[in-house]
Each structure stands twice: as structure tokens, then as C-alpha cells.
Amino acid sequence: MKFDPNWHPEGAACAAALDKRIPGYFAAGPVDWMIVGGSGIGKPLVEDQGEHALGLEIRERVALADLELPVPSVAGHGTELVFGELAREGGAPLRVCVQTGRIHPYEGHPASVSAAPLGAVLTLGCARLLLTSAVGGIDPKLRTGAIVSYRDQFNLFGPTPLRGPAFVGCSNLYDRTLRAQLRALAEDPSQLPEVVYGHARGPQYESPAEVAALRSLGCDVVGMSTTYEAVLAAAHGVPTCGLGLVTNAAGADDLSHEEVFVESNKARGRLAALVRGLLLRAGASESPTPA
Ligand code: HPA
């Protein structure tokens, strides 16, 4: 099914603004990877240096505000699209775009606006997408600090960036080939469990009854983002995978965004190593299964 820009006009408008801001960048080809950074995750991927960092050579930085978008207002979220290159042996450097922070629907924006920067990059050219997010653990086996790979999602009642007759198939939202590549990076499968992401509107955390309901619906983790981006990528036919960092037990007493931020910060080295491994493994040479 071919993507129709009328399904997401905000993405089309943002694509025109981005193309004007970095003329020629996409004429040279698509990005090999786009990464959307979750709470406390996106900025360190770009800023950290040294052995445990992603190691991007930055080429362009575009403020979301320069694309006429709202500025992310939540602590731990950056405000840019950063374009860089990741050197690799035996091939051209990978072209990577990192969105360092999200504009969330719970900040008062429609999902179509929240997903506009992603829509822009998907429109201009993107081979693969990695979505990252902080999540609450519903499955009691998932401890704080665990990194998970999304297998599927539950977003029946949550937001979508699409409108009109966008009857997009969602049977492979998190691409099987990319997931297998992620599994291969973990020394032992219990280190990177595959989970179902349940969408919560937020900004309030979930009540124990809501967590129990999500559990009975088959969700292993809960978060306030990601799902509507995976749907948009499916509409564009771009293979996607997702990594979550469990920052707390869902529905626990005294939850705070501070805790989410502290836990993301602790895991930044482990996450960057995994992301780097994925990018280099599933680089430009192999082709993933189309969504
Ligand atoms: N619920 C929803 N979103 C979250 C949580 C949570 O417990 N933790 C981090 N993001």
C-alpha cells in the first residue's frame, strides 16, 4: 500500500521545511537509520563521547522549533533532529538521524503533530527506524534497568497520527528481521526479552487497576509514546524496531519523572552499545523485511 501524504499532512509540511533547512542532504540518499529518543535516552546518544557512546560524527543539527514545531517541554527530552555518520569497517559510513526528544500527545498536541518530525524523515528517505522509550514494567519479571525489545503493541484506544482511508496493516509493526538482529546481539535471550507495549495516554501514571487491566490484555510494559510512531512507519512501509528501558514498576507507589530520568541515565552506556551494535549489524548492506 503506497503512502498518501494526505494521511499525515503535518509530516508532509515538516518534510518541506526540513528539506529547505538542509538542502541537498536527502538528495544524496536516504538516512540508513532514524532513531527516536525517549526520556533521558535521545540526548546522550548524540552527546556522549568515548567507549560506551554511539559515536556519531555530527553533520547537521536542526532545531524542531526551526521546523515550526512545538518544542518538547519534558525534562530529559532534547529539541533537535541531529544528522550524523557512523563509521564502519568495510563500507561507507551509515547516515543516521536522531530525534533527541519527543513532542508528546500528553503535552497537549495531536499525535499528527507529535509525529511530524518522524513523518518528515520518513517522507524524505529513511531505510530503517529505531524507536526508544522509557517504560513502566507490568510483567513482574521485568526489573528496573531491564532493556526490552518490542514485539507488538496495544493502542486500540490511544492516538494515531493518521487520518482518512489509511487502512494500514499492523501485523509486523516491529519488523521480524530487525528483531532477530537485536536478539542476536544479546548474549542470552533473557537479557533482551521481547514484550508487548501497552499505550497509556498520560501524563498521569496508571492506577493499579489500569495496570491489571493492561496485563490481562497482554501488555508487558506501559508507556506514553512510541505506538503512534510505529503505526506511521508502517504506513510509510519503513521497517521498525523498538527498545524500551524499564525505569520503574508500573503502578508503584510514589512514581516520579525524576526516577525515570535517573534510571535512563544509569542505562545510557548499555543502551548506546546495543544501538551501535544494531546499526552496524543491520547496516545499509542487508535489506530488512518490508513492513
Ligand atoms: N507508565 C507510563 N509511562 C512510563 C512509565 C510508567 O510507569 N515509566 C516510564 N514511562
Side-chain angles (χ1 to χ4, degrees), residues 134-136 200 205-206 222-224 247-251 255 260:
V135 287
Y205 288 112
E206 303 71 41
V222 55
M224 305 173 192
T247 54
N248 56 278
L255 288 185
V260 168

Side-chain angles (χ1 to χ4, degrees), residues 39 133-137 197-198 200 202-206 211 222-225 245-252 255-257 260:
S39 284
S133 25
V135 287
Y197 182 116
Q204 69 280 0
Y205 288 112
E206 303 71 41
V211 173
V222 55
M224 305 173 192
S225 63
L245 173 69
V246 178
T247 54
N248 56 278
L255 288 185
S256 71
H257 185 66
V260 168

Side-chain angles (χ1 to χ4, degrees), residues 13-223:
C14 190
L18 179 59
D19 204 30
K20 211 162 142 199
R21 178 69 184 63
I22 46 171
Y25 187 87
F26 284 96
V31 294
D32 295 301
W33 278 95
M34 164 130 188
I35 305 173
V36 180
S39 284
I41 298 173
K43 264 209 289 193
L45 279 179
V46 167
E47 310 293 352
D48 282 356
Q49 301 291 326
E51 202 191 335
H52 300 294
L54 182 55
L56 278 190
E57 208 46 74
I58 295 174
R59 298 281 181 248
E60 302 278 359
R61 307 185 82 123
V62 180
L64 297 177
D66 286 350
L67 302 174
E68 287 171 36
L69 292 172
V71 177
S73 65
V74 176
H77 283 267
T79 56
E80 296 174 297
L81 287 177
V82 176
F83 295 84
E85 289 184 352
L86 187 63
R88 57 182 181 144
E89 273 176 35
L94 293 175
R95 285 155 57 88
V96 182
C97 172
V98 182
Q99 184 181 332
T100 59
R102 283 193 172 95
I103 310 158
H104 297 90
Y106 67 71
E107 292 170 69
H109 308 292
S112 54
V113 171
S114 302
L118 172 60
V121 177
L122 295 173
T123 299
L124 292 172
C126 174
R128 298 166 192 80
L129 170 66
L130 169 63
L131 300 173
T132 66
S133 25
V135 287
I138 296 178
D139 179 343
K141 290 197 292 297
L142 295 172
R143 296 297 165 87
T144 295
I147 298 178
V148 295
S149 164
Y150 303 141
R151 174 171 63 77
D152 202 351
Q153 67 183 36
F154 183 87
N155 178 28
L156 273 184
F157 312 121
T160 176
L162 301 175
R163 54 184 176 275
F167 303 119
V168 176
C170 289
S171 63
N172 190 29
L173 286 175
Y174 300 96
D175 178 74
R176 294 180 191 98
T177 307
L178 292 178
R179 276 167 41 210
Q181 282 162 342
L182 275 171
R183 280 198 301 275
L185 290 169
E187 274 165 33
D188 144 10
S190 68
Q191 277 184 345
L192 190 64
E194 290 202 324
V195 300
V196 176
Y197 182 116
H199 190 96
R201 293 171 55 158
Q204 69 280 0
Y205 288 112
E206 303 71 41
S207 70
E210 288 162 346
V211 173
L214 286 171
R215 180 89 185 121
S216 70
L217 289 168
C219 303
D220 305 299
V221 297
V222 55

